[in-house]
Amino acid sequence: MHLFHRLLWRAAAIFVLGTGIFSSPDVAAERMIDAFPQSASSGCMACHGEIELIREAGSEMMQQIIALGTQHGDPAGCVVCHGGDPNERVDKQIAHGGEDPDSFYLDPGSPWVNDQTCGTCHPKHVEVQWRSLMMTEAGKIQGVCWAFGGLTGYEHKFGNYAVENPADPNDRLGTDAYKAYMQRLKKMEPQVFVDRHEALPDALGFDELDRLEEDPTLAAFTYIRQECQRCHHAVKGRQTRGDYRGMGCSSCHVPYGNEGFYEGDDKTIDRETPGHMLVHSIQGTREAKVTVHDKTYSGIPVETCTTCHDRGKRIGVSFQGLMETPYESPFAADGSGQPKLHSKHYIAMEQDVHYQKGMTCQDCHTSIDVHGDGFLAAANLGAVQIECSDCHGTPDAYPWDLPLGFMDEFEEESATGEPRGLTTQLESHTSQGTIYPPGDGYLLTARGNPYGNVVRDGEDIIVHTANGKDLRTPTLKKIKDTGKLSQNGLVAMSGIASHLKEMECYSCHASWTPQCYGCHVKIDFSQKDKCPECNESKANFDWVAAGRRHREPEHRTDRGESEYKDLMIPGKITEQRSYLRWEQPMLGVNGEGRVTPLAPGCQPSVTILGADGEPILTNHIFKTPEGTEGGGQDGQLAIDMSPTQPHTMTKNARSCESCHTSEKALGFGIDGGRPTRSPNQRVTIDLETIDGEILPQRTTPQMEPIEHLAADWSRIVDEDGNQLQTIGHHFKLSRPLNNEERARMSRHGACLSCHQEIPTQSLAVSLLHHVAQYTGQMPVTADQHNSLVHKIVLMSAWTQAIAIIGIPLLCAATALWFRRRRTAL
């Protein structure tokens, strides 16, 4: 049926173009009636005559819209996406569906209606949307359930909506190699690559709050529904500064400014009330041109992605060089505090090098990364198919010479096998995007799908960006072979082979990582009829219930959730942090079995106030089930350090010392994670004796204890290797570095290996020390020390090499000389 519609559209477009009904100038941001004069006869244009084109006049998509609209009696084509009655020119209600409002779509991209709109041309994308991670958000749900005591164990049981995989594995999008690869991963990580999600359970109702006393973990579902799920594609979301967007396809493909105001030419659209698209245009590929105030761009700006990707791992804002801060400085031009963006304040940090070069998220992340492949993958690492080496290769191998699965192993050994090669064939579900010439061939992802915008050109690659740039990048092997690889890079990547076999590239090349230690979550269920001191009952909006409201026929076409006033549920969430850091993070092992940066994922210390306003839990850290994550019979602290790709790449990698001489990098925590006061102890600050006894009787504790937390939030193991919190629990291989790895990695006290003999502990060293001192050759700077150590290493190596070779030769020569002498005698 979908194929029939597409063929019909194309045939109609050819017919209409052939008869000269409209011209097709390749101009962006024209008014509809200027580009297509015949559209003035559409009833829609009676009100919306100033509206800008949804796509450029000469684009195939626009031609199809006009052609199909003309067939339906609407020469402007509005009904193709919006429905309604194009013959009505006076009565707005009739024009917008009349007695059948379900036939008019305010937001055609909404997943609740896009099978009738976007899906007519893009059936596969609409079909797979319900199993995409951006819709299910199963990883976030399981993460919160884990933090509240491992409510579902390791299984990613719940999604926002009940959904299951297709019965036929071949229904998965992607190449045959990719499908086989994903079947392998499914067997290896069945708790993540599940067959179905159950619908997320309801939160407690106003008449159920007494259940919290018996089971406070039920508050998890309030937390999830109010705070965590506002970004999924089935709702329009919070609609505050920085968070304005559409639903479904419109979440990404319709531009919204951070302030949420419409700035196009349609006079009927409210310009003073936020919550509207920036202009009436579709953004997507390089071919989709969007013009705003005479400035034209293509592709999907990073700011579109950060309407959601500003929490959790914060990769969107980090990519832009933004780090969350609790402070309002620097002040705004009028002297007020810095305005909130995504409900946060920021400081400016180093931007990712890809961002600096003009790349956006979609230039690396494939259609499958974003839209999904039609099967459930409940965590980011499971859903994303790309690796750094897919484009850059290694100093010793071109990207096309690497085996499939390299850096994406989900095993403890580096991938081996035949070279993955290149391809000239693209997948059918990407055929409606911009098609770039293959050059010497399209590169393949680690899982075997083509990069439609990355091609080989000799020893280089060319990245065709959606915003119009063609970036030529030499492969690492070419850089090395031409002698342009820095000494640091040569040592780190070629000299120490285990780095590339065991580590992620971004373990070294991430310049900083947002680290929010300690998430102090307060869930206040106070109700004024049960709490005499309360002026109002605490309640907030249920985002999952809002999505399910759209599922009801009478609400299917609703533009957003602003009218759903009855979807308030009891409880009010507030969150605070213990402290923030951005400097080089600690290291651990991710689900792919590779060393990676770690950052706090979900480290909740939970406080719950009951309906009467009295605490049920205060600063409580739950524990995971018995025997999990190295926790023994008592379970492990349910605070999680998450493996992360920080998206803050820099050409200049972190120094060797920042890992090899860092207690934090090893997992022992910031400054070894040894606070002078344990977090699980109450702290009272007042007049006290020298022995620490508080003198006043009327005093107030400054800090209440955080239950179960004996060490700093950043300390994930102790010196004996005992695990102290969970590490990326979604995948089986995620863990802290083990004792053997830390022993191999640590270079603490390396200075002492030389200086324990300097200046007088050895006669030879003492002699050289005094000679150097009196001749002015004492090393002082780092370069001088490096030069000296290098000289000593070379001298030692040559001395030993000569000894190994020379002594046997000398012995042999001596023996031969004695033998000849005896013979001569």
Side-chain angles (χ1 to χ4, degrees):
M1 188 65 178
H2 291 302
L3 179 60
F4 173 75
H5 282 161
R6 290 171 64 187
L7 292 174
L8 179 64
W9 280 29
R10 290 179 185 271
I14 293 171
F15 170 76
V16 175
L17 283 169
T19 55
I21 293 178
F22 62 82
S23 60
S24 57
D26 190 11
V27 179
E30 288 183 284
R31 297 187 308 170
M32 173 67 73
I33 58 175
D34 292 336
F36 303 104
Q38 75 278 8
S39 68
S41 63
S42 167
C44 304
M45 293 297 101
C47 292
H48 300 284
E50 304 297 310
I51 199 164
E52 51 274 1
L53 291 168
I54 189 71
R55 278 292 307 271
E56 321 87 90
S59 68
E60 183 179 359
M61 179 179 179
M62 194 68 224
Q63 294 169 13
Q64 291 178 338
I65 290 172
I66 293 294
L68 192 57
T70 301
Q71 286 187 345
H72 287 244
D74 177 18
C78 303
V79 297
V80 174
C81 294
H82 290 282
D85 184 352
N87 298 313
E88 178 58 43
R89 305 181 67 86
V90 178
D91 191 313
K92 176 181 177 180
Q93 184 175 358
I94 295 176
H96 289 185
E99 295 182 359
D100 183 16
D102 189 46
S103 66
F104 179 72
Y105 312 128
L106 280 165
D107 185 350
S110 165
W112 307 102
V113 303
N114 61 16
D115 60 330
Q116 303 296 313
T117 56
C118 309
T120 311
C121 272
H122 305 281
K124 271 297 178 185
H125 294 90
V126 167
E127 177 187 335
V128 304
Q129 66 181 331
W130 291 103
R131 292 180 287 275
S132 72
L133 189 55
M134 292 188 187
M135 184 67 79
T136 69
E137 299 221 288
K140 282 201 289 184
I141 293 172
Q142 191 272 347
V144 176
C145 288
W146 182 262
F148 276 70
L151 301 182
T152 62
Y154 290 106
E155 183 186 357
H156 293 65
K157 181 178 181 179
F158 298 127
N160 287 322
Y161 310 94
V163 63
E164 60 183 46
N165 284 334
D168 186 355
N170 290 318
D171 286 343
R172 190 189 296 270
L173 297 181
T175 64
D176 290 341
Y178 173 76
K179 292 174 183 178
Y181 191 96
M182 297 307 292
Q183 282 293 102
R184 166 182 161 267
L185 290 190
K186 187 178 188 305
K187 293 178 181 178
M188 296 172 66
E189 303 283 354
Q191 78 286 355
V192 172
F193 298 100
V194 297
D195 287 320
R196 63 185 57 82
H197 291 314
E198 296 179 21
L200 179 69
D202 291 338
L204 291 175
F206 288 96
D207 59 348
E208 299 177 298
L209 297 182
D210 57 338
R211 296 175 59 190
L212 286 168
E213 290 283 355
E214 180 180 345
D215 186 3
T217 65
L218 293 172
F221 300 109
T222 300
Y223 187 27
I224 292 170
R225 285 171 168 267
Q226 287 188 7
E227 193 68 17
C228 304
Q229 305 307 90
R230 61 176 173 78
C231 279
H232 76 280
H233 282 316
V235 295
K236 197 169 183 181
R238 185 166 53 188
Q239 299 292 286
T240 56
R241 186 173 187 270
D243 296 332
Y244 292 106
R245 60 176 177 84
M247 292 189 287
C249 304
S250 304
S251 301
C252 301
H253 290 286
V254 175
Y256 281 74
N258 278 342
E259 309 298 339
F261 292 110
Y262 174 69
E263 298 184 22
D265 294 327
D266 191 333
K267 301 302 186 291
T268 69
I269 300 178
D270 185 352
R271 294 167 173 270
E272 302 304 320
T273 303
H276 295 280
M277 59 191 174
L278 182 63
V279 291
H280 177 257
S281 299
I282 287 178
Q283 60 186 21
T285 66
R286 180 183 286 196
E287 293 173 343
K289 307 296 183 183
V290 179
T291 297
V292 183
H293 304 308
D294 299 324
K295 297 177 182 177
T296 299
Y297 74 91
S298 61
I300 299 175
V302 176
E303 289 76 16
T304 295
C305 303
T306 58
T307 59
C308 286
H309 291 279
D310 58 76
R311 276 181 62 94
K313 296 180 181 179
R314 294 163 169 78
I315 55 177
V317 287
S318 296
F319 188 64
Q320 294 177 291
L322 297 176
M323 168 69 187
E324 179 182 344
T325 174
Y327 307 115
E328 295 185 5
S329 55
F331 298 113
D334 63 358
S336 62
Q338 179 192 141
K340 286 188 174 182
L341 181 68
H342 320 302
S343 75
K344 307 174 187 69
H345 304 299
Y346 288 99
I347 54 176
M349 302 284 291
E350 183 177 5
Q351 301 162 320
D352 189 288
V353 65
H354 301 87
Y355 183 82
Q356 294 179 46
K357 295 292 184 181
M359 295 177 66
T360 61
C361 307
Q362 72 184 110
D363 295 322
C364 286
H365 287 287
T366 66
S367 176
I368 280 179
D369 280 6
V370 178
H371 300 112
D373 64 7
F375 282 68
L376 298 170
N380 287 343
L381 199 65
V384 174
Q385 64 168 327
I386 63 171
E387 297 291 343
C388 305
S389 56
D390 293 353
C391 290
H392 295 284
T394 73
D396 301 306
Y398 295 112
W400 43 88
D401 290 333
L402 295 172
L404 288 180
F406 186 74
M407 289 196 165
D408 190 62
E409 291 86 357
F410 290 86
E411 293 182 327
E412 295 182 344
E413 299 294 331
S414 181
T416 58
E418 296 296 318
R420 69 181 68 171
L422 301 158
T423 185
T424 58
Q425 300 297 317
L426 298 178
E427 290 299 293
S428 60
H429 67 276
T430 66
S431 63
Q432 290 166 305
T434 301
I435 305 299
Y436 299 100
D440 295 334
Y442 298 110
L443 272 62
L444 295 173
T445 71
R447 298 181 182 180
N449 281 323
Y451 281 104
N453 65 314
V454 186
V455 301
R456 176 185 176 182
D457 186 21
E459 295 176 312
D460 296 344
I461 65 163
I462 297 176
V463 180
H464 299 291
T465 70
N467 61 24
K469 291 186 175 183
D470 299 316
L471 300 177
R472 176 178 292 274
T473 302
T475 56
L476 274 172
K477 188 174 189 305
K478 178 181 178 180
I479 294 172
K480 177 187 175 183
D481 291 347
T482 55
K484 296 180 180 179
L485 188 62
S486 70
Q487 187 66 42
N488 288 348
L490 193 63
V491 171
M493 291 187 284
S494 288
I496 306 174
S498 61
H499 279 173
L500 282 179
K501 289 182 179 179
E502 300 175 10
M503 298 178 66
E504 299 283 9
C505 300
Y506 46 83
S507 296
C508 294
H509 283 279
S511 58
W512 60 277
T513 304
Q515 301 158 59
C516 305
Y517 290 98
C519 184
H520 299 269
V521 179
K522 183 169 72 173
I523 311 177
D524 186 352
F525 290 98
S526 301
Q527 303 298 306
K528 65 180 180 180
D529 59 333
K530 297 184 179 180
C531 175
E533 295 82 14
C534 299
N535 295 322
E536 61 178 3
S537 294
K538 302 295 185 180
N540 215 333
F541 195 71
D542 185 337
W543 289 106
V544 179
R548 295 177 188 176
R549 175 66 59 83
H550 284 293
R551 189 165 52 190
E552 299 171 8
E554 61 270 29
H555 295 288
R556 190 170 71 96
T557 61
D558 292 349
R559 179 170 171 266
E561 299 79 46
S562 59
E563 302 301 319
Y564 300 168
K565 306 298 185 185
D566 60 325
L567 294 184
M568 303 294 284
I569 55 176
K572 183 77 172 179
I573 312 293
T574 55
E575 292 179 325
Q576 298 288 329
R577 308 284 185 255
S578 279
Y579 56 91
L580 306 179
R581 293 289 186 274
W582 61 76
E583 69 278 0
Q584 293 161 332
M586 68 187 69
L587 300 177
V589 177
N590 64 15
E592 295 170 344
R594 287 183 168 267
V595 174
T596 180
L598 300 180
C602 199
Q603 288 188 319
S605 164
V606 179
T607 296
I608 300 175
L609 303 183
D612 58 0
E614 295 297 320
I616 295 174
L617 293 177
T618 304
N619 302 321
H620 178 81
I621 295 178
F622 290 96
K623 290 194 172 183
T624 64
E626 177 183 349
T628 54
E629 301 287 306
Q633 291 183 340
D634 293 334
Q636 185 59 267
L637 293 184
I639 53 177
D640 198 62
M641 289 294 296
S642 180
T644 183
Q645 210 291 29
H647 288 69
T648 58
M649 297 302 98
T650 180
K651 181 180 178 181
N652 299 314
R654 65 191 289 180
S655 68
C656 305
E657 294 81 5
S658 70
C659 290
H660 289 284
T661 63
S662 167
E663 290 183 299
K664 179 183 177 184
L666 294 172
F668 297 136
I670 298 171
D671 294 329
R674 295 178 289 270
T676 56
R677 289 175 172 147
S678 178
N680 61 8
Q681 297 177 1
R682 178 179 288 107
V683 176
T684 300
I685 308 296
D686 212 323
L687 295 178
E688 63 181 8
T689 69
I690 195 66
D691 297 322
E693 294 187 21
I694 300 298
L695 295 171
Q697 291 184 345
R698 300 183 62 177
T699 190
T700 302
Q702 187 65 33
M703 285 172 274
E704 291 294 330
I706 302 173
E707 190 175 5
H708 297 149
L709 189 65
D712 185 73
W713 297 98
S714 64
R715 186 168 168 84
I716 61 175
V717 291
D718 63 21
E719 284 73 11
D720 295 324
N722 298 311
Q723 191 170 330
L724 304 178
Q725 53 183 289
T726 73
I727 311 297
H729 63 278
H730 298 282
F731 293 92
K732 296 176 181 177
L733 294 181
S734 294
R735 58 173 177 80
L737 300 174
N738 59 38
N739 287 346
E740 179 184 352
E741 290 163 337
R742 281 192 298 276
R744 285 162 41 200
M745 176 178 163
S746 176
R747 295 295 180 270
H748 282 93
C751 300
L752 295 178
S753 60
C754 293
H755 283 273
Q756 62 182 326
E757 300 292 341
I758 299 173
T760 60
Q761 298 302 309
S762 163
L763 180 61
V765 169
S766 178
L767 176 62
L768 289 176
H769 174 79
H770 284 86
V771 169
Q773 188 175 26
Y774 288 118
T775 58
Q777 299 182 60
M778 286 288 292
V780 178
T781 66
D783 287 343
Q784 290 170 343
H785 273 85
N786 290 339
S787 176
L788 178 61
V789 171
H790 185 233
K791 182 190 300 182
I792 292 171
V793 169
L794 288 177
M795 185 179 298
S796 173
W798 277 111
T799 300
Q800 293 182 62
I802 291 171
I804 291 171
I805 298 172
I807 290 176
L809 287 176
L810 180 61
C811 292
T814 302
L816 181 62
W817 181 80
F818 274 109
R819 182 177 179 182
R820 287 182 176 178
R821 185 178 180 185
R822 285 199 300 270
T823 301
L825 292 174

